[in-house]
Amino acid sequence: MCGIVSLCYASEVAAMGHEAGELLKRLEYRGYDSTGASFIGADGAITLLKKVGAPSRVVPELGIDRQPGQRFIGQVRWATYGAVTDVNSQPHHVRCKVEMVGAHNGNISNTDALKPALTAQGHAVKSDNDGEMITHLTEDAYAANLADPGPTLAACRAAYAAAGLTEGIPDGAFLLIDAARKADARAEGSYAAAFADPKVPGVVAVKSGSSLYAGIGSDAHGDFVVVSSDLTSVLSKTRMLIPLSEGEGLWFTEREYLVFTLGKELAFSMPRPKRSKLNVRDTGLRAPYHYFMEQEIASAPDNLDEVLRYYFRDAGTEGLFAAFEDRQDLCKALVAKVLALYEAPEEAALRKAFEALLADPVHRELAARVEPHADVLRAHGQPVSDERQLLVDLGRLEPSAASALALYDLLFVWKKRRRVTRHLQELVQAIRESQKEGGRVFLVASGTSYHAALVAATFFNNLAGVAVFPCNPGQFRSMYLNAVQPHDLLIGITQSGETKDLVDIFQDVLARVPALRRIALVNNENSRIPQELSEFYLPILCGPEIAVAATKSFLNQVAILYVLAASFSLTERKIAANLERAKDLIAETLRRCEADVEDAARRLYLEPSLHILGTGLIGLAREGALKIREVVLNHAEGYDAAEFKHGPNTILGKNTLFSIQDLAGLLEVYEQHRDGRPFAGGIEALQAWPELVETRFSNYPLLFVCPAEERDVRITISQIHTHKIRGADILLIAEKNPELALAVSGKPMGQDRYWSKYIEVPPNGDANLFVFAATVALQRLAFRMSVLKMEYLDRLAVADHGVHPDAPKNVSKSITVD
């Protein structure tokens, strides 16, 4: 995935390195193979510092945080093109035809063809990295523009004048903008990038298929503009965002900025900055938590409150919302006026605009019409809508306006709930119609979202009697793409809304069968899949997710898919009541099972491999295994419980899986039994002392996940007995059941080293709701195993081990490359 960031002040700042280091650390979840920073001083000198490693390590090691500078471009890398080496790290400082520096995030897919072509054009290409290719492409076009600036300047000035703009823009900025556009035309792929010429003011950044955000503000060092692949890093500096759409670029200094188009006729604009709906606190780590993964698991009950708020009616607000329905014209007008407050550039202007709004006739008329419901407004607590940060800011400026702010907040909730419930019913109806016409319903997703789709297939089978087809993009492309029909239905499930594999599937389906309906379940509502590629979408509503391993987004996806499936057989009131039960189950599981989960984590965290066996819950088993692979870096596999005996069970008994602990034990045995004999090493030592290996064999861990259904219990008991006599240790996650307890605890004859653990989740009597309790138990288990193993490897001084609950090696939050 990678990430880029750039910051520009008016003059050289001694603390630029500190600012740069903090911004890079905020991008660590996006890439930790290497870290780099380039600084441009007031004299135009470029300082480049980069090295293999994560920002948290490289920033202090290279002294990035001690550098001065007026401009900064930095990058964190998740390697795709080019090995993980210092030379492939970014940014790239080039000077083949003109000196400049550049970095990118994403994927330039024609890199292999570009490298020899650029070399033939006189460029000294030093790496295999695609970031260097896009930088050389820009350099090449920029050098040509400098050699013959007339035509380019004329075209840029004409487009600038056509936009009605008059402020002076340096000629060099126009030439670099045009060079970035020409480089984009030659590059294939999806990326964002930033470039700077030390002799020309400002930085040019482009958004060509990958995320890029820009903000403007002031701090102790003066005015600044910041751009980044990551919104949270921009919010750490400012809440005022410069609107930037896909297929656009931005030239900026500390205060000036100019937006331009890519890939089409050149056009310029200077959109007014808008206040962000988010605050950096929304993406920060809060006490008592030490890791984002831990915090995000614990947030699950609160996140289900969001689902309940927007997917279901609330008796407490029905009267007020009916009043809103009676005067939709007034409501829409007032919503527009409140949203206009986002354009206030600073607090004084915001206060003035808010005072004017309170006196506005639209506000006054609606406030008068809802006066019979004043008790609802008075009882309303802190803002809960998507605009809550703006309303909190307004409340701080005008504490006496609590009633008006409650009105606005509930107005936004009403507006979004209308859309969400309408789209939920539309999707239910679309599934019914697809089934009626003989179509198929495809749930297409990647990674954790794919596992949510597998769980959803169970829900649809149990609650709706509807067969759905869960698949990842590769499976869909290879098994179904050429056979889809207009009556089929495509439902994409994604946290980010920008996963490249899923974007491609939506585009392929649109090109092949335009009549096929495409719907999305998505967390990032402003991303490409919901905004550009879907007919409509349902929001996941779990808020920003920072840890690389998805936890809270999985639970909210499962919750909404449960709502969708249950809508075929249960009333709205019953579904809402069940979600309330699920919320309570999650909280109670985290509280009651903490000690048992900790015991299991301490037993398992150094096991090199384990299997999670879900009885009728293959999706949950695979998700639990994925969490362990992601954050513990131990091999883990998810299987259907009954399927394990068909081949995978050969791993039980003697196998050649040995852990670090086994290695330590082997050395102990050698010391005890060598009897002065020389140690030859290698296979000769093992042949001379077979006890070195024989004493290291151990039982293999199997983790069963069993719902309370009688048939599932019977299958699980059978499988436990079948496997523990062949050398398996057993961990079970299930509701309390005496027969299961006996099966787990009974030690097989001759198996003195047998270990077992029964994690009892709170009972609920509903096999579908069991998924919620079992999920958080598995997530918490993976989290604690990760922390324990990380601390263990740190004590051994193992360098670059990559175990971390928030940012494990080799994976990234949103895969935006092929």
Side-chain angles (χ1 to χ4, degrees):
M1 180 171 57
C2 307
I4 60 167
V5 61
S6 180
L7 179 64
C8 188
Y9 285 108
S11 57
E12 186 159 313
V13 172
M16 173 64 98
H18 171 76
E19 300 291 337
E22 292 303 306
L23 289 168
L24 287 168
K25 289 173 187 176
R26 286 187 173 274
L27 293 178
E28 185 158 334
Y29 78 96
R30 296 182 68 94
Y32 21 81
D33 288 333
S34 64
T35 304
S38 58
F39 299 94
I40 301 177
D43 60 357
I46 295 176
T47 300
L48 178 63
L49 301 169
K50 60 180 183 175
K51 181 181 179 180
V52 167
S56 54
R57 194 190 83 206
V58 171
V59 166
E61 278 187 7
L62 295 185
I64 288 173
D65 51 355
R66 299 188 295 274
Q67 295 298 313
Q70 185 258 333
R71 286 175 278 172
F72 154 71
I73 295 175
Q75 200 255 17
V76 297
R77 183 170 183 241
W78 186 70
T80 52
Y81 283 85
V84 180
T85 63
D86 291 349
V87 72
N88 281 321
S89 303
Q90 298 190 54
H92 294 284
H93 182 185
V94 299
R95 49 176 78 78
C96 304
K97 299 184 178 183
V98 60
E99 185 179 28
M100 60 182 298
V101 65
H104 99 309
N105 151 48
N107 189 17
I108 308 299
S109 55
N110 58 335
T111 287
D112 291 338
L114 286 173
K115 185 173 182 178
L118 286 165
T119 301
Q121 290 175 290
H123 292 273
V125 181
K126 297 179 180 179
S127 76
D128 297 324
N129 179 244
D130 49 348
E132 184 178 4
M133 306 310 150
I134 192 65
T135 303
H136 278 302
L137 286 176
T138 305
E139 177 199 16
D140 196 73
Y142 186 44
N145 285 347
L146 290 172
D148 184 18
T152 298
L153 288 177
C156 288
R157 287 169 181 157
Y160 192 72
L165 302 174
T166 58
E167 292 87 348
I169 300 295
D171 287 350
F174 279 138
L175 298 178
L176 187 54
I177 286 170
D178 181 76
R181 283 169 45 84
K182 289 174 178 173
D184 182 67
R186 291 182 64 185
E188 298 174 8
S190 302
Y191 71 99
F195 312 103
D197 173 356
K199 297 178 181 178
V200 173
V203 175
V204 168
V206 297
K207 182 176 182 176
S208 183
S210 288
S211 61
L212 191 70
Y213 304 91
I216 186 167
S218 298
D219 61 15
H221 313 300
D223 294 340
F224 65 82
V225 170
V226 58
V227 303
S228 176
S229 304
D230 173 73
L231 179 58
T232 65
S233 59
V234 174
L235 292 176
S236 72
K237 295 287 296 175
T238 179
R239 294 258 316 283
M240 297 305 296
L241 302 183
I242 300 170
L244 191 64
S245 299
E246 169 57 33
E248 290 185 335
L250 178 76
W251 168 80
F252 62 94
T253 63
E254 81 287 353
R255 205 66 202 163
E256 296 178 291
Y257 61 88
L258 180 64
V259 174
F260 59 90
T261 55
L262 296 170
K264 52 187 176 182
E265 185 179 354
L266 177 62
F268 291 111
S269 63
M270 289 184 183
R272 294 178 63 181
K274 294 187 176 181
R275 187 176 298 267
S276 172
K277 296 182 180 183
L278 289 175
N279 187 295
V280 70
R281 187 182 181 282
D282 297 329
T283 59
L285 191 63
R286 298 184 292 276
Y289 304 107
H290 298 93
Y291 301 96
F292 282 105
M293 184 180 183
E294 177 187 24
Q295 177 174 284
E296 288 163 2
I297 293 170
S299 74
D302 292 338
N303 299 326
L304 287 194
D305 276 336
E306 291 292 295
V307 176
L308 288 162
R309 177 174 295 116
Y310 288 108
Y311 280 81
F312 301 95
R313 289 172 291 182
D314 177 7
T317 58
E318 278 197 44
L320 176 64
F321 285 9
F324 289 163
E325 291 288 345
D326 289 342
R327 287 307 306 269
Q328 292 184 34
D329 56 337
L330 273 180
C331 292
K332 291 178 180 178
L334 186 55
V335 163
K337 289 177 180 291
V338 177
L339 292 177
L341 297 177
Y342 277 111
E343 298 187 10
E346 34 78 27
E347 284 201 351
L350 182 61
R351 184 193 299 272
K352 184 177 179 180
F354 183 36
E355 290 171 350
L357 178 58
L358 292 175
D360 190 286
V362 173
H363 165 85
R364 290 182 178 277
E365 183 176 353
L366 188 59
R369 285 186 172 274
V370 300
E371 180 60 30
H373 308 284
D375 57 331
V376 177
L377 300 180
R378 282 192 296 269
H380 190 59
Q382 289 295 311
V384 295
S385 70
D386 289 351
E387 320 308 325
R388 57 185 170 270
Q389 187 56 52
L390 173 64
L391 301 180
V392 167
D393 291 344
L394 295 175
R396 180 170 44 82
L397 296 175
E398 289 289 346
S400 62
S403 179
L405 295 175
L407 172 62
Y408 300 164
D409 194 45
L410 290 169
L411 194 58
F412 286 121
V413 171
W414 164 77
K415 180 174 179 287
K416 183 166 185 172
R417 184 186 294 170
R418 291 178 84 246
R419 175 173 59 80
V420 171
T421 54
R422 182 178 75 251
H423 286 163
L424 174 64
Q425 294 310 312
E426 273 192 67
L427 183 50
V428 170
Q429 186 59 31
I431 294 172
R432 291 187 191 278
E433 291 174 358
S434 178
Q435 294 284 296
K436 182 180 178 180
E437 298 295 332
R440 295 161 297 176
V441 178
F442 295 101
L443 307 180
V444 186
S446 297
T448 284
S449 299
Y450 168 54
H451 298 153
L454 289 170
V455 173
T458 302
F459 291 159
F460 273 93
N461 179 61
N462 293 346
L463 296 166
V466 171
V468 297
F469 294 80
C471 49
N472 61 42
Q475 292 169 333
F476 183 84
R477 185 184 306 109
S478 62
M479 296 191 292
Y480 303 117
L481 181 59
N482 294 331
V484 292
Q485 301 295 324
H487 294 303
D488 292 335
L489 180 64
L490 173 63
I491 303 175
I493 308 171
T494 167
Q495 190 281 134
S496 69
E498 58 182 31
T499 304
K500 183 65 164 57
D501 297 344
L502 190 57
V503 167
D504 289 346
I505 291 300
F506 270 71
Q507 292 176 320
D508 289 344
V509 168
L510 176 61
R512 290 169 183 260
V513 189
L516 190 152
R517 302 187 72 180
R518 303 171 312 283
I519 320 297
L521 270 65
V522 64
N523 193 39
N524 182 358
E525 297 180 50
N526 296 315
S527 57
R528 188 176 183 189
I529 288 176
Q531 294 299 325
E532 300 176 19
L533 299 173
S534 302
E535 183 178 326
F536 61 84
Y537 69 91
L538 291 177
I540 292 169
L541 303 172
C542 70
E545 190 171 53
I546 307 302
V548 169
T551 53
K552 63 178 185 176
S553 61
F554 176 76
L555 271 167
N556 270 43
Q557 287 171 344
V558 167
I560 290 160
L561 290 162
Y562 173 84
V563 171
L564 186 59
S567 296
F568 285 79
S569 59
L570 303 179
T571 65
E572 179 185 346
R573 180 173 295 182
K574 178 61 175 175
I575 299 169
N578 284 351
L579 271 196
E580 288 280 5
R581 288 170 60 200
K583 186 180 77 169
D584 293 341
L585 277 172
I586 290 170
E588 192 176 354
T589 300
L590 290 172
R591 183 174 61 253
R592 283 177 43 175
C593 299
E594 183 176 5
D596 286 337
V597 168
E598 183 68 17
D599 288 346
R602 291 185 178 278
R603 166 65 182 81
L604 298 173
Y605 77 97
L606 289 180
E607 288 288 348
S609 181
L610 61 81
H611 275 67
I612 299 180
L613 306 181
T615 309
L617 290 173
I618 180 62
L620 186 55
R622 293 187 66 167
E623 175 59 14
L626 176 62
K627 289 287 95 57
I628 290 173
R629 284 202 305 273
E630 283 179 319
V631 301
V632 191
L633 275 63
N634 294 356
H635 176 261
E637 198 73 37
Y639 260 82
D640 177 79
E643 187 69 14
F644 182 73
K645 63 181 177 288
H646 296 291
N649 61 339
T650 55
I651 202 168
L652 302 179
K654 288 185 177 181
N655 59 57
T656 53
L657 295 168
F658 298 110
S659 69
I660 293 177
Q661 273 189 321
D662 293 326
L663 175 62
L666 185 149
L667 294 174
E668 289 177 9
V669 172
Y670 166 70
E671 288 297 328
Q672 294 169 5
H673 297 280
R674 63 177 177 162
D675 299 326
R677 288 175 287 179
F679 182 66
I683 190 68
E684 292 83 1
L686 300 181
Q687 290 171 334
W689 293 292
E691 66 269 25
L692 291 180
V693 174
E694 194 66 36
T695 56
R696 293 301 92 205
F697 290 123
S698 59
N699 285 355
Y700 186 84
L702 297 181
L703 196 169
F704 285 85
V705 183
C706 176
E709 295 286 319
E710 183 178 351
R711 184 173 184 180
D712 292 329
V713 170
R714 293 283 161 237
I715 290 172
T716 302
I717 289 173
S718 172
Q719 299 308 307
I720 288 172
H721 281 290
T722 298
H723 303 314
K724 71 179 182 179
I725 63 173
R726 290 172 169 81
D729 285 340
I730 304 296
L731 172 62
L732 173 66
I733 296 175
E735 295 177 16
K736 185 175 182 178
N737 182 294
E739 293 178 89
L740 281 171
L742 285 172
V744 171
S745 63
K747 182 178 291 187
M749 292 183 62
Q751 294 277 358
D752 292 337
R753 60 190 177 189
Y754 174 71
W755 173 89
S756 65
K757 186 76 181 178
Y758 189 162
I759 298 177
E760 290 183 10
V761 299
N764 73 88
D766 186 325
N768 296 305
L769 298 187
F770 167 77
V771 169
F772 293 91
T775 292
V776 290
L778 288 168
Q779 290 175 346
R780 181 74 187 179
L781 176 65
F783 165 71
R784 286 302 302 152
M785 288 173 66
S786 177
V787 172
L788 289 167
K789 186 175 179 183
M790 176 182 68
E791 293 172 348
Y792 179 84
L793 295 177
D794 286 346
R795 289 196 299 273
L796 293 180
V798 177
D800 301 321
H801 57 70
V803 178
H804 194 285
D806 291 342
K809 69 181 177 72
N810 295 343
V811 292
S812 67
K813 188 65 187 172
S814 174
I815 307 299
T816 54
V817 297
D818 291 309

